[in-house]
Amino acid sequence: MKAICFYFQIHQPFRLKRYRFFDIGNDHYYYDDFANDDIVTRVAHNSYIPAAETLLRMLERYPHFKCAISITGVALEQCEQYVPEFIDLLKKLAATGRVEFLAETYAHSLSSLADPDEFANQVRVHDDKIKEMFGVTPKVLRNTELIYCDELAPQIQAMGFKGVITEGAKHILGWKSPNYVYSAASAPKLKILLRNPKLSDDIAKRFSNTEWEAYPLTADKYMDWIASTPPEEQIVNLFMNMETFGEFQRADSGIFQFLEALPHFAKERGVEFMTPTEAVSKLKPVGELSILHPISWTDESRDVTAWLGNKLQNEAFQKLYSVAERVRLCNDRRLKQDWYYLQGADHLFYMATKHFADGAAHSSFSPYETPFQAFTNYMNVLADFIVRVEEQYPLSIDNEELNALLTTIRNQESEIETLNKEVSSMRKNIEHFNEEHLLRGADAMKAESKPEKVVVKEAKATKTSKLKAESKAKTTKAKTTKKAK
């Protein structure tokens, strides 16, 4: 039986305020709170909330419907702060047991391309956040912007994930179809789910395009397309941003009604729904897939040039991760929070100078007039951030020397902690000994005081008996004398 795997992505970056050169060293707060509040609130009410309510109705009405959601840690933070009602809806979706939450980097970062330790750390922090909020542990990874390559597969597998989802890029697949489960060439136990770019973009990009030859797109027609794919093809992966519903495709286009009707027509055609974990667990891979260079789901090139395609982006990227190891070593909560927020891939995307095939949609995301303005603003913020890092761990000390010093400090802290535990244990033993000693002393005093009372009592009893005996003897003697007379 053919299956559909639906996946919806949710992300909102922490946008930076206008930060001048003269602010460096004087202002350590980098964010445009007004813009962040305004954008996430608007998008939530136009898209996230009505989409989540639609999914809840679908889950209630169609027992065979299932889907997956991926939401970044930074988006969760903003939703908690500005639209907590959406968090409540996500919890209701999780409670159904038919909505899977995927793993990803907490900050929607490009750490997988720069620093394996940071990548692993961010995924772990994100997993902890999902577990804390929704009570589930992700089993399938969705890396930032679906970035994936052979080099990442062994690490993803070692992190305990059963599968990873990425783009069904034409230059990778060639004649192969994205509608199968594949295994990673560099880690055969790791399963790969590939996005079907055509069928996904028919909804995400072309749904309300009146010039599109297939317009208008109905749920009936769309499900016919899926049902008519070759019968041996296992699964159709429909991956898209949740903003597709209500933001990119406006509510008056009928997009919500289209989504809600899909399970009905799927059931009519014998098409089922699977979560990513079910897909990688139940379906056998048809072969290995090798992806030598990083791919993504952005732009027609399906690579990482949207974020690392020019000198501005690469300079900012290298400067940022030059302090990665030092930030991980520190215990400053605010510094680490800023570290996450500054890693968002969006900041690098705003610096892009390449021409995008859907440039109008991409340009609408940037709060800057030009890529150079985005670069200047970001580098000013980064300069202040690095000054703060250097205050804790001077850049004049190389990483090896710093690690050696910190290892010594940690060893000393460990020894001190051990000694403190020993002292604490000895104190408890002494207290226990003193308590036992006091109890024994009290028992001894009781034991000594008890015989004295007994002796006194016995003495009194003896004296009484003696008096009684003497009295009796006197009485007897008197009677005998009387008789003799």
Side-chain angles (χ1 to χ4, degrees):
M1 182 180 287
K2 195 178 299 297
I4 293 173
C5 180
F6 250 128
Y7 151 70
F8 306 103
Q9 161 67 15
I10 301 171
H11 169 62
Q12 289 295 331
F14 276 92
R15 293 161 185 84
L16 303 177
K17 66 183 181 182
R18 291 295 188 268
Y19 195 88
R20 303 169 302 165
F21 175 79
F22 298 103
D23 292 325
I24 299 172
N26 298 313
D27 183 3
H28 302 320
Y29 191 78
Y30 311 133
Y31 313 105
D32 188 337
D33 291 334
F34 176 81
N36 291 323
D37 183 358
D38 178 65
I39 292 172
V40 75
T41 301
R42 172 178 57 79
V43 174
H45 285 93
N46 287 344
S47 173
Y48 298 159
I49 291 175
E53 291 172 341
T54 300
L55 291 176
L56 282 169
R57 289 195 299 271
M58 293 164 69
L59 289 161
E60 183 179 355
R61 185 175 179 183
Y62 304 105
H64 63 290
F65 178 72
K66 301 171 183 177
C67 66
I69 291 175
S70 177
I71 179 168
T72 62
V74 291
L76 275 172
E77 286 188 30
Q78 291 185 70
C79 289
E80 283 182 290
Q81 184 175 355
Y82 301 122
V83 279
E85 60 270 34
F86 176 58
I87 298 295
D88 293 336
L89 288 171
L90 289 178
K91 289 179 179 178
K92 289 180 180 179
L93 288 171
T96 66
R98 288 185 282 144
V99 176
E100 179 177 353
F101 282 80
L102 303 182
E104 65 173 275
T105 57
Y106 188 92
H108 196 70
S109 74
L110 302 180
S111 56
S112 61
L113 302 177
D115 190 326
D117 291 336
E118 180 62 24
F119 175 54
N121 176 66
Q122 278 200 37
V123 172
R124 178 185 57 77
V125 173
H126 179 268
D127 282 357
D128 291 344
K129 183 76 171 178
I130 295 297
K131 176 68 174 177
E132 175 191 342
M133 295 193 71
F134 307 116
V136 294
T137 300
K139 297 177 181 177
V140 173
L141 176 72
R142 182 264 187 203
N143 192 17
T144 302
E145 303 293 344
L146 299 192
I147 292 173
Y148 173 80
C149 64
D150 288 346
E151 187 177 347
L152 296 177
Q155 182 180 6
I156 294 171
Q157 180 178 299
M159 290 160 66
F161 294 107
K162 294 182 178 180
V164 61
I165 67 175
T166 189
E167 176 69 7
K170 291 180 181 178
H171 70 280
I172 296 298
L173 287 172
W175 56 269
K176 297 178 182 177
S177 169
N179 301 334
Y180 291 100
V181 174
Y182 293 89
S183 60
S186 55
K189 291 184 179 180
L190 183 70
K191 309 291 181 57
I192 302 175
L193 293 178
L194 298 172
R195 174 179 179 265
N196 186 306
K198 180 190 178 302
L199 288 172
S200 296
D201 289 346
D202 283 343
I203 300 175
K205 296 180 180 179
R206 292 182 280 271
F207 181 82
S208 59
N209 182 4
T210 56
E211 296 181 1
W212 180 34
E213 59 184 12
Y215 181 86
L217 181 62
T218 63
D220 191 10
K221 182 196 299 185
Y222 187 76
M223 204 52 64
D224 274 341
W225 294 348
I226 292 176
S228 64
T229 55
E232 66 274 11
E233 294 187 351
Q234 304 166 309
I235 189 163
V236 178
N237 298 308
L238 303 175
F239 303 157
M240 60 199 72
N241 287 301
M242 189 168 274
E243 288 99 318
T244 295
F245 304 94
E247 188 69 16
F248 302 156
Q249 308 296 334
R250 308 299 296 179
D252 56 13
S253 69
I255 189 68
F256 290 110
Q257 291 80 3
F258 168 83
L259 175 63
E260 193 166 351
L262 287 176
H264 170 76
F265 292 105
K267 187 175 182 180
E268 280 189 354
R269 289 157 179 77
V271 178
E272 64 177 329
F273 291 87
M274 283 187 177
T275 63
T277 294
E278 287 179 333
V280 298
S281 300
K282 295 180 178 180
L283 303 178
K284 293 183 179 179
V286 295
E288 291 186 353
L289 188 65
S290 178
I291 303 175
L292 298 178
H293 304 288
I295 62 171
S296 75
W297 70 346
T298 299
D299 193 38
E300 286 191 345
S301 60
R302 299 295 196 257
D303 55 19
V304 296
T305 54
W307 309 276
L308 300 173
N310 62 40
K311 291 182 178 180
L312 301 177
Q313 293 169 313
N314 279 282
E315 182 178 345
F317 183 69
Q318 291 168 13
K319 193 73 173 176
L320 173 67
Y321 284 99
S322 68
V323 295
E325 192 168 357
R326 293 165 190 270
V327 177
R328 282 198 299 275
L329 293 170
C330 81
N331 294 316
D332 188 323
R333 186 191 64 82
R334 182 59 186 276
L335 197 67
K336 286 197 170 186
Q337 184 182 60
D338 289 337
W339 168 242
Y340 282 153
Y341 296 171
L342 293 178
Q343 285 186 75
D346 311 76
H347 303 306
L348 296 170
F349 183 79
Y350 301 150
M351 304 175 198
T353 53
K354 67 178 291 187
H355 173 72
F356 293 102
D358 50 352
H362 282 82
S363 63
S364 65
F365 288 115
S366 179
Y368 303 98
E369 295 179 4
T370 68
F372 304 99
Q373 188 184 86
F375 173 76
T376 301
N377 199 68
Y378 182 78
M379 293 304 284
N380 285 342
V381 170
L382 190 56
D384 182 81
F385 176 76
I386 291 175
V387 167
R388 292 165 59 203
V389 174
E390 189 171 3
E391 287 176 353
Q392 295 207 22
Y393 302 116
L395 299 181
S396 57
I397 305 175
D398 61 35
N399 286 338
E400 290 186 7
E401 185 180 355
L402 180 61
N403 279 328
L405 290 170
L406 290 172
T407 299
T408 301
I409 292 170
R410 289 192 182 114
N411 288 339
Q412 291 175 344
E413 289 176 349
S414 179
E415 289 178 8
I416 292 170
E417 185 179 355
T418 302
L419 290 171
N420 284 334
K421 287 181 179 178
E422 290 179 359
V423 170
S424 177
S425 178
M426 290 177 68
R427 283 177 178 168
K428 287 181 179 179
N429 289 337
I430 290 171
E431 289 174 0
H432 184 64
F433 174 80
N434 288 337
E435 288 176 0
E436 288 187 347
H437 184 70
L438 289 172
L439 287 171
R440 287 176 181 174
D443 290 342
M445 290 178 66
K446 286 180 181 179
E448 290 176 0
S449 61
K450 184 177 180 181
E452 289 178 1
K453 291 180 180 179
V454 172
V455 169
V456 171
K457 188 176 181 181
E458 288 178 351
K460 286 182 178 179
T462 303
K463 188 174 181 180
T464 302
S465 299
K466 188 177 180 180
L467 290 172
K468 285 182 178 180
E470 288 178 353
S471 175
K472 186 176 181 181
K474 287 179 179 179
T475 303
T476 303
K477 186 177 180 182
K479 287 180 179 180
T480 304
T481 304
K482 187 176 181 181
K483 283 181 180 181
K485 285 181 179 181

